[in-house]
């Protein structure tokens, strides 16, 4: 709730990038904590998507759309639950309308959630494809909450694919081992799940 309060205070003071960044971190932490993915969460994401669009922050809007599609994919039955192609976000259409930098960042964000969905639904081909896509980006990330989810599912997916991706799996394992030694309370569960 601290991040939600930051959002309100920063929005009120006109610092929209920081306000929206607070909510991105809120949702990454929310997903990492495994909390309820109910309709209230979807409503919050929709409100933030619409606000982002109203102030011409399309990068933030795309990320909130990805988050919302992730929730929809988990809550509703689908023939292809690992695709980002639904009522909240249609990946190919969204990427085709963006400049190169925005497209690259949006692809990264969509790929993180597609990897998580692929692991959950045991879609081996999607896991391999998303690991390959995400390998093209720097390993560590300035947004720690996003990186936590990314590294956790990259490690899980890499080891579930056996020999093909042990280098990536070990890299993720090494990161969480280091964070565990530094005292991170979030690192031990990720480390033990991956190991």
């Amino acid at each position: 709730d601290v991040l939600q309060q930051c959002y309100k205070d920063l929005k009120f003071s006109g610092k929209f990038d920081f306000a929206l960044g607070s909510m991105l971190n809120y949702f990454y932490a929310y997903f990492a904590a495994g909390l309820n993915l109910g309709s209230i969460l979807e409503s919050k994401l929709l409100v933030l998507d619409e606000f982002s669009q109203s102030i011409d922050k399309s990068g933030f809007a795309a990320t909130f759309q990805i988050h919302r599609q992730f929730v929809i994919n988990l809550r509703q039955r689908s023939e292809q639950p690992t695709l980002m192609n639904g009522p909240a976000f249609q990946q190919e259409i969204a990427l085709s309308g963006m400049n190169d930098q925005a497209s690259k960042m949006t692809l990264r964000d969509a790929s993180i959630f597609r990897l998580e969905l692929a692991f959950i639904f045991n879609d081996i081909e999607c896991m391999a494809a998303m690991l390959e896509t995400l390998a093209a980006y720097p390993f560590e990330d300035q947004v720690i909450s996003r990186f936590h989810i990314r590294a956790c599912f990259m490690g899980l997916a890499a080891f579930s694919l056996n020999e093909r991706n042990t280098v990536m799996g070990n890299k993720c394992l090494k990161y969480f081992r280091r964070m565990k030694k530094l005292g991170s309370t979030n690192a031990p569960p990720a480390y033990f799940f991956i190991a």
Side-chain angles (χ1 to χ4, degrees):
D1 291 325
V2 172
L3 290 169
Q4 288 185 80
Q5 188 59 49
C6 286
Y7 166 74
K8 291 174 187 173
D9 294 345
L10 290 163
K11 182 180 174 187
F12 180 76
S13 64
K15 297 179 179 175
F16 299 131
D17 284 347
F18 292 112
L20 293 169
S22 293
M23 288 310 290
L24 284 179
N25 280 301
Y26 169 82
F27 288 113
Y28 283 121
Y30 193 97
F31 295 139
L35 299 173
N36 185 0
L37 301 178
S39 58
I40 292 173
L41 181 69
E42 280 188 67
S43 297
K44 285 182 181 180
L45 287 163
L46 183 58
V47 166
L48 286 160
D49 170 18
E50 290 172 351
F51 175 66
S52 299
Q53 290 183 52
S54 75
I55 60 169
D56 201 30
K57 300 290 181 185
S58 59
F60 283 108
T63 305
F64 292 126
Q65 291 164 11
I66 291 166
H67 289 179
R68 200 165 132 245
Q69 189 61 51
F70 171 72
V71 171
I72 290 168
N73 286 12
L74 287 172
R75 292 185 68 217
Q76 298 176 6
R77 288 199 179 273
S78 169
E79 292 293 316
Q80 297 176 308
T82 60
L83 292 181
M84 286 287 170
N85 188 26
F89 184 74
Q90 296 181 344
Q91 183 172 327
E92 288 188 26
I93 293 170
L95 294 177
S96 70
M98 296 178 175
N99 67 40
D100 288 344
Q101 183 64 18
S103 176
K104 184 177 179 184
M105 296 302 101
T106 302
L107 178 62
R108 177 205 55 214
D109 292 347
S111 297
I112 292 167
F113 284 96
R114 287 192 65 202
L115 178 62
E116 188 171 349
L117 289 166
F119 183 80
I120 291 167
F121 292 106
N122 197 31
D123 184 337
I124 302 297
E125 289 179 21
C126 185
M127 274 192 271
M130 293 306 101
L131 282 172
E132 186 176 324
T133 298
L134 291 168
Y137 293 86
F139 180 67
E140 295 199 28
D141 190 334
Q142 292 179 336
V143 180
I144 299 300
S145 54
R146 175 176 57 210
F147 182 66
H148 181 85
I149 291 173
R150 177 179 164 201
C152 184
F153 281 93
M154 285 178 77
L156 289 167
F159 284 123
S160 72
L161 295 175
N162 297 325
E163 298 300 318
R164 290 190 282 175
N165 291 290
T166 56
V167 171
M168 181 55 71
N170 284 323
K171 196 173 187 179
C172 295
L173 200 56
K174 182 178 176 183
Y175 167 78
F176 285 115
R177 184 182 306 120
R178 186 181 80 214
M179 296 311 293
K180 192 167 69 109
K181 286 181 182 177
L182 292 172
S184 168
T185 57
N186 298 318
Y191 178 81
F192 290 117
F193 276 119
I194 295 170

